[in-house]
Amino acid sequence: MITHIPTSLADQIFERLENDILSGVYPKGTVLTELALCEKLGVSRTPVREVLKRLAQEHIVEDCGRGMLVLSITSKDAEIIYEIREKIEGMAAAACARQIDAEGITALKEIVDLQDFYAQRGDSEKVKGLDSEFHKSIYRMSGSAVYYDTLMPLHTKTQKFRKATVESTGKAAQSAHEHRQVLDAITAGNPEKAEAAMTAHIHSAKTRLIEYLKQQEDAENRPDGE
């Protein structure tokens, strides 16, 4: 039952359902119905209907006659999203380096320190959460809502793929190391280095994603018994 409403009820439901779909709680092919969602969430049909329309506009679900069919996003979509992020996320890091204050630097350092801690312990869930918090914090501290509004939806849509690319201790540690390079450049107030470090980090994340997707594809195409 949803009881806390920080914004509108529809916004809260949208955030929850989008997260559940993109994280795999509702796998691709699941059919969502207004009635079932109303019963599960403890809300009326009006906000649920609005949310399902918004999810359809995001191409995360589509009407299948029996309800809304979960599409999630494809691996190709994920690759394209990383390519877009690689082009513009460095700009957000540069903007952050230009205007971040001491409190912001402390907050980013705490995130990276915690990511290091959990990466060494192989806790991929914690690492994934801290990865998201690091990027969200930079979007917020860029000084422009345009960066946040552009990048945050893209970052959210790749969450299940991000988990797969940090599941090994080595990859999680590499991601944390790349974050620290971004942090060091931002702390030094060097926009050019911050942009370069962030661009390199997103490129590296894209490379890990493609490697993961190729492994999945090879496994799917491998004959039984091999």
Side-chain angles (χ1 to χ4, degrees), residues 122-137:
D123 191 331
S124 61
E125 278 298 323
K126 284 285 197 328
V127 171
K128 182 171 74 75
L130 290 162
D131 173 273
S132 291
E133 190 57 38
F134 180 79
H135 288 274
K136 286 165 59 177
S137 296

Side-chain angles (χ1 to χ4, degrees), residues 27-54:
K28 183 177 181 179
T30 301
V31 175
L32 303 176
T33 65
E34 288 182 13
L35 180 59
L37 290 172
C38 290
E39 292 177 350
K40 181 171 183 177
L41 300 174
V43 296
S44 67
R45 285 199 174 195
T46 300
V48 169
R49 188 175 298 120
E50 177 186 334
V51 165
L52 290 174
K53 287 181 181 178
R54 287 171 62 184

